[in-house]
Amino acid sequence: MFALKLYSLSILLFITKGKAWIFPKTPSASTPRFASTETFSDEEKPAIRIKEGSIVTIDCRLKPEGEYVPEPLIDGVVLHDESPPARLTFALGRGNYLPGLHDLVQGLQVGESVNGVSLDAGWGERRSDLVATIEFAQAAIDDPSQIQSGVELMLANGLKCVVTKVTEKDFTIDANPPLAGATYEASVHLIRVEDGPSMTVFGETQTSRFQVATFALGCFWGGELTYMREPGVVATAVGYTQGQRVAPTYEDVCSGTTGHTEAIAVTYDPDVVSYQRLVHLAMDRLGENKYLKNQVGNDRGTQYRHGVYYHTPEQKQIAEAIIGDFGEDCVTECLPAGKFWLAEDYHQQYLLKGGQSARKGDDTTIRCYG
């Protein structure tokens, strides 16, 4: 990572996330049609109303429109017409997968399909004002020879950009999000809708068959991506828990005065992944940091203390047993889950938005800072 001091590029100070729009179009003869083997009569369709937080299962196929689209936000969806569609299960409106996919599903009833819909990747149009050409003589760069096409740079204002072109005199950078301007041709069939779980504290009754687990693993960006990659996890969210202040902000929590720690709320299907597995993932992610109090890596402070916060007596028993195996020197908290406050939108699925894969089963190294 290079530090590029370009204070004159004030145009690069702000990037706003574009809304995920859906643009219906008339299917043509060349449009790949979508058919599912599962259909329902009107009498068989479940009466559950689709709403934010509902757990939906779909068959889905996406085909890139125009130039090649990077894969990170696709998360396992097949991109080839001749392949069978991918079956996805996720919590509606709770992150994961393409934002526009959530909007598209909301308009369907169980058993219905939609074909040949142009789906925005969720980052709006590519903006020309986020592209700039800089002369080497104007840029404070320690080693200009390392500026090559494809290299990622960090601007002095903290913004990331990618070098797209290099000449003897200058180079061009692009600060657009990786999927800005990308669209897919989407085909979707809604298989099932189930009630999602509520974000309960310890002791509250959960009516959904899906369950919630809460973990604090230092900076919540990397921990969230760890769980997004786990089969059986249908939703993740980052936020703040175990503190006293109502509705804390990121700045509040970073002050170290609210008692909160950065945490990940994980919604999972216990028929696919066990709570034991999720706790083991947490302890593996911590590594030797499990023996450090109020610290994970270079992040220090009570807001980075690590812990497993159980929601049920069964979770309590499992968490205590696993953490206990690491001996008395392990300082990972094991406490009843308190109120969980969602973090700001820009923190949600942060590394996924930055281009790192959330594909189920992916084991590539997670990079929290560049």
Side-chain angles (χ1 to χ4, degrees), residues 278-293:
L278 299 180
V279 176
H280 279 299
L281 277 177
M283 304 310 288
D284 290 346
R285 173 76 185 169
L286 286 171
E288 293 303 305
N289 293 293
K290 64 175 68 76
Y291 303 109
L292 302 177
K293 188 174 180 62

Side-chain angles (χ1 to χ4, degrees), residues 28-261:
S28 64
S30 60
T31 299
R33 303 303 296 172
F34 182 86
S36 173
T37 57
E38 296 191 43
T39 58
F40 301 86
S41 66
D42 290 338
E43 292 76 16
E44 294 173 321
K45 292 179 181 179
I48 296 176
R49 183 174 65 87
I50 297 181
K51 59 184 181 298
E52 182 171 332
S54 296
I55 308 297
V56 298
T57 299
I58 64 172
D59 280 348
C60 178
R61 180 181 285 117
L62 299 176
K63 178 183 177 182
E65 296 181 321
E67 298 181 0
Y68 171 74
V69 179
E71 290 191 4
L73 295 188
I74 297 167
D75 198 9
V77 178
V78 178
L79 294 179
H80 307 291
D81 294 345
E82 65 274 11
S83 302
R87 179 153 296 186
L88 309 177
T89 299
F90 56 93
L92 199 64
R94 299 290 172 83
N96 296 0
Y97 305 105
L98 297 168
L101 201 56
H102 295 250
D103 297 336
L104 184 58
V105 170
Q106 283 185 319
L108 297 177
Q109 298 290 328
V110 171
E112 291 183 342
S113 299
V114 63
N115 300 280
V117 173
S118 186
L119 192 68
D120 189 274
W123 288 92
E125 298 298 323
R126 294 196 68 80
R127 293 170 48 186
S128 59
D129 62 328
L130 295 180
V131 179
T133 298
I134 306 102
E135 293 184 1
F136 281 105
Q138 296 178 341
I141 302 173
D142 295 334
D143 186 1
S145 66
Q146 296 191 51
I147 301 298
Q148 301 176 14
S149 182
V151 168
E152 187 178 78
L153 304 177
M154 181 74 76
L155 300 179
N157 56 26
L159 192 66
K160 288 183 180 180
C161 63
V162 175
V163 177
T164 58
K165 182 180 179 181
V166 180
T167 69
E168 291 184 1
K169 295 182 178 181
D170 54 37
F171 59 98
T172 301
I173 59 174
D174 186 349
N176 279 284
L179 294 183
T183 59
Y184 301 89
E185 185 179 273
S187 296
V188 172
H189 180 80
L190 181 57
I191 299 295
R192 185 166 51 251
V193 179
E194 301 174 80
D195 285 330
S198 57
M199 195 62 213
T200 58
V201 300
F202 178 73
E204 291 182 346
T205 302
Q206 185 65 264
T207 58
S208 172
R209 76 174 185 88
F210 295 89
Q211 297 182 19
V212 175
T214 304
F215 304 98
L217 306 175
C219 174
F220 44 30
W221 295 342
E224 182 181 32
L225 188 57
T226 296
Y227 286 108
M228 292 177 75
R229 292 176 171 183
E230 183 64 19
V233 171
V234 299
T236 59
V238 297
Y240 318 111
T241 191
Q242 309 306 113
Q244 296 82 42
R245 185 171 300 180
V246 174
T249 66
Y250 181 65
E251 289 72 20
D252 292 336
V253 174
C254 285
S255 72
T257 62
T258 70
H260 293 88
T261 185

Side-chain angles (χ1 to χ4, degrees), residues 256-271:
T257 62
T258 70
H260 293 88
T261 185
E262 293 191 10
I264 308 106
V266 178
T267 302
Y268 66 100
D269 184 345
D271 293 337

